[in-house]
Amino acid sequence: MALIPMEEILADANEKNYAVGGFNINNLEALQAIIEAAEAEQAPIILQTSEGAIRYINMEYAVAMAKAAAEKASVPIAFHLDHGESFAKIIECIRNDYSSVMIDGSKLPFEENIALTSKVVEAASAVGVSVEAELGQLGGVEDDVVVEEKDATLTNPDEAAEFIDKTGIDALAVAIGTAHGVYKGDPDLDFERLEKINNEVDIPLVLHGASGVPDADIARSIELGINKINVNTAFQQAFTAKMREILEDPDVYDPRKICGPAKDAMKEKVIEKIRLFGSDGKA
Ligand code: G3H
Ligand code: ZN
């Protein structure tokens, strides 16, 4: 199968009320873990790279890896730019065959976010690439996206409808109290706000910073219209914890004996999230 636009994957999720994982890759083993999990669970997936991951992996390698995975896989796969910050980066990804992009204008004033996002939608839709955008701003750290808690803002439900109307995006990332990275305390999600947003808009909603969100809150979010859930930190933690355990043995030096089991640990975590999101068996 070739890479497909995210829009196609999310249309089914939106209709049947489940969520698809927006799973970040940072190296080959992460890609293998996600694909193996998706195949085992027969789940559609959205593979994504941040701008930092592209710098680390290299654009050509990242795209070649995603394309090879999609060609071999029996499940639908979209390849998505996560938190794209500039029009130039969006165009670079489109030219390199990404099937979906996120333009993150969340730190901009409302009208400027609309202007930048509209420009991206015009370019992307001309070549069949899906667009996710963000309104409101999550706290925490995700590669280049660093937002102090005091600067985090929640999505305004009235602005959400206007934003979608004026930009024509395919999916909207909402800020309802989640944060990127490791949580300091328990997240306190604003479900009332999510419900209002969901009542105002028709397109799939996206939850970022989902790693530390309790399972019950994830389930409630899906009931209230979340159709894409981004996870990165939880996978990195599973991978690294296994590596630490193996490296306690000073005689281990073969990277395959370190990264292989770490990949398997990450795969288990991906399977757990796929089942929690209800996307198992939806391929
Ligand atoms: O865009 C990616 C995500 O929002 C991942 O957040 O690292 O907290 O799971 P996380
Ligand atoms: Zn994010």
Side-chain angles (χ1 to χ4, degrees), residues 86-269:
S86 66
F87 185 70
K89 183 54 74 177
I90 297 287
I91 295 301
E92 186 189 350
C93 287
I94 292 175
R95 291 192 67 161
N96 277 281
D97 292 342
Y98 275 65
S99 62
S100 177
V101 290
M102 175 189 187
I103 178 67
D104 182 355
S106 61
K107 61 179 177 304
L108 299 172
F110 185 60
E111 293 300 338
E112 287 177 37
N113 191 357
I114 288 179
L116 175 62
T117 303
S118 301
K119 197 164 121 177
V120 166
V121 170
E122 191 181 350
S125 61
V127 288
V129 169
S130 309
V131 179
E132 172 187 338
E134 181 169 332
L135 199 55
Q137 219 181 357
L138 266 70
V141 180
E142 163 115 39
D143 277 6
D144 304 343
V145 184
V146 181
V147 179
E148 297 290 332
E149 281 313 318
K150 65 172 175 44
D151 296 326
T153 48
L154 301 181
T155 306
N156 176 330
D158 299 324
E159 285 185 351
E162 185 186 342
F163 186 81
I164 293 165
D165 218 41
K166 290 189 168 161
T167 59
I169 52 169
D170 300 296
L172 178 71
V174 291
I176 55 161
T178 58
H180 285 127
V182 179
Y183 282 78
K184 292 196 183 87
D186 277 341
D188 182 17
L189 302 200
D190 189 342
F191 291 117
E192 210 176 302
R193 181 179 299 270
L194 179 58
E195 192 166 15
K196 275 194 197 138
I197 298 169
N198 195 32
N199 288 340
E200 294 292 326
V201 311
D202 289 331
I203 65 170
L205 301 175
V206 184
L207 191 69
H208 282 244
S211 284
V213 177
D215 291 0
D217 286 357
I218 292 288
R220 184 83 186 114
S221 303
I222 296 170
E223 279 170 13
L224 295 174
I226 294 290
N227 295 126
K228 173 177 184 259
I229 302 183
N230 285 10
V231 182
N232 187 9
T233 303
F235 297 156
Q236 294 178 326
Q237 287 170 326
F239 190 90
T240 309
K242 179 54 84 177
M243 285 182 107
R244 279 201 188 97
E245 189 187 311
I246 296 168
L247 288 169
E248 274 179 20
D249 179 351
D251 294 330
V252 178
Y253 60 86
D254 182 339
R256 293 168 298 182
K257 299 209 162 80
I258 305 162
C259 295
K263 184 241 337 177
D264 291 338
M266 179 172 159
K267 176 181 167 185
E268 288 314 307
K269 189 49 91 181

Side-chain angles (χ1 to χ4, degrees), residues 25 27-37 263 267:
I25 59 166
N27 57 16
L28 174 63
E29 285 79 7
L31 175 99
Q32 291 170 324
I34 293 165
I35 300 294
E36 286 175 22
K263 184 241 337 177
K267 176 181 167 185

Side-chain angles (χ1 to χ4, degrees), residues 54-73:
I54 297 173
R55 284 197 299 276
Y56 178 77
I57 301 172
N58 168 286
M59 175 66 91
E60 284 77 15
Y61 289 178
V63 173
M65 270 163 41
K67 280 187 178 174
E71 286 302 332
K72 276 174 68 78

